[in-house]
Amino acid sequence: MLQIFDGHNDVVSKLLAEERASARALITEGAAPAARNFFQRNAQGHIDLPRAREGGFAGGLFSIYVGPDPQAPPPVGPVLGRHAGLDMPIKFPRPLELGFAQRTSMAQMGVLFRLQRESHDQLRVVRSLAEVQRCFDDGALAAVIHFEGAEAIDPQLDMLEVFYAAGLRSLGPVWSRANDFGEGVPYLFPHSPDTGPGLTDAGKALVRACNELGIVVDLSHMNERGFWDVQQLTTAPLVASHSNAHAMTPTPRNLTDRQLDAIRDSGGVVGVNLAIGFLGDGTDDPATPISRIVEHFEYLIKRMGIDHVGFGADLDGARVPDAVGDVAGLPRVVDGLTAAGYVDADLEKVTHGNWLRVLGQTWKGS
Ligand SMILES: [Zn+2]
């Protein structure tokens, strides 16, 4: 089975949320549903170790994602769209407070480091390409720490050094909200990704610092002006870890042809997102067939070439087609690509080769 290195999953934030919900229920109700045990096969969620092995999932970018602060006042302003997969209206979220974002991010990193310790070497937080390759050779899961939104980092970037020392190797300056560094795209459909101003001065300094340290700058969730600001500044290949083709599914979370061309020209990579909201016609259909996922792969490959497309499945972060189901279903996507005529050399690049090349070019001392 081909080993899949994937550009985006949210299992860590889900595990923390499940643990906290379970602890709360124990206090208020005296009994609690158990949080997912990552080392056993579960019916809930998309990822655990047994299902990852079934699906040939060799690792990827493990997102540290800070949701809204439950203590903060509710969002203001008009409803701007619907969060794909969460089935709830979304208003443009309030900026997060730095302390809340730091506490939440460190708690999630704690969850990931605990998994590593309890895994008996079956899951490793990786900081270099050599470590990723050792995981591939040993059959261990390779987890790259990725921040989805840089709210836990102060504009002076002191915390960036701390998180880098702890293992941070990839970050999106913004999730779909505004922060000190720039603005993300709201969930509107259909809509252009050109939804607001580009990077702030602090955002530009963050990109330069990421280049200096060797941290991937992820463009998924960033609005179009921010995208072009990064493209002008960065010395690394451009990366959109979990986004599809805007020409096929016109959500601002997907990439226009011009953006795809710029990613290709930089030697970068796009991870195909399996969220039903980013694959179809805006109806978020759980019956979206595998063939539709394959069509997004084909569009991106025709536009950019086989060297610039990978996976960015968004497992545990979005509703994915029933035909995929969970991480164990990823080989069905690979089967779909095979049926569409891609040969082994192509599939090796798409399943992991392209991601590993770009990480190796971006990280220092790989
Ligand atoms: Zn995302």
Side-chain angles (χ1 to χ4, degrees), residues 8 10 63 65 83 146 148 174-176 187 218 220-221 241-243 253 273 278 314 317-318:
H8 192 89
D10 286 288
S63 177
Y65 164 74
H83 191 304
H146 166 84
E148 188 170 27
V174 292
W175 180 70
S176 286
Y187 290 84
D218 180 20
S220 286
H221 286 278
S241 66
H242 59 309
S243 293
R253 279 283 288 100
N273 195 323
F278 306 152
D314 216 345

Side-chain angles (χ1 to χ4, degrees), residues 223-240:
N223 66 15
E224 191 169 356
R225 279 176 242 182
F227 178 101
W228 295 117
D229 285 342
V230 173
Q231 187 255 353
Q232 291 265 303
L233 268 174
T234 187
T235 56
L238 297 177
V239 167

Side-chain angles (χ1 to χ4, degrees), residues 133-313:
Q133 274 159 345
R134 262 199 302 280
C135 285
F136 269 65
D137 294 343
D138 298 348
L141 225 60
V144 176
I145 297 178
H146 166 84
F147 278 11
E148 188 170 27
E151 278 86 353
I153 296 166
D154 55 296
Q156 294 74 35
L157 308 182
D158 295 323
M159 286 304 290
L160 181 68
E161 303 283 347
V162 176
F163 287 124
Y164 178 81
L168 179 68
R169 289 295 179 273
S170 173
L171 69 81
V174 292
W175 180 70
S176 286
R177 66 162 86 81
N179 64 22
D180 288 331
F181 305 105
E183 279 193 17
V185 286
Y187 290 84
L188 299 170
F189 192 96
H191 208 281
S192 148
D194 187 11
T195 58
L199 295 182
T200 63
D201 287 345
K204 290 174 183 167
L206 176 63
V207 172
R208 285 190 207 98
C210 285
N211 284 166
E212 179 74 26
L213 288 164
I215 296 174
V216 172
V217 176
D218 180 20
L219 296 160
S220 286
H221 286 278
M222 188 171 282
N223 66 15
E224 191 169 356
R225 279 176 242 182
F227 178 101
W228 295 117
D229 285 342
V230 173
Q231 187 255 353
Q232 291 265 303
L233 268 174
T234 187
T235 56
L238 297 177
V239 167
S241 66
H242 59 309
S243 293
N244 299 335
H246 192 273
M248 288 184 62
T249 301
T251 159
R253 279 283 288 100
N254 287 344
L255 298 153
T256 67
D257 287 346
R258 276 189 65 220
Q259 290 178 307
L260 297 175
D261 293 349
I263 292 170
R264 174 199 62 212
D265 293 345
S266 77
V269 69
V270 173
V272 172
N273 195 323
L274 305 190
I276 52 177
F278 306 152
L279 289 168
D281 57 4
T283 54
D284 292 11
D285 183 5
T288 299
I290 299 278
S291 60
R292 180 66 183 176
I293 301 170
V294 171
E295 283 167 22
H296 271 276
F297 270 99
E298 286 188 296
Y299 186 94
L300 296 171
I301 291 168
K302 281 202 182 107
R303 186 86 201 178
M304 295 194 293
I306 195 74
D307 292 319
H308 306 287
V309 183
F311 278 77

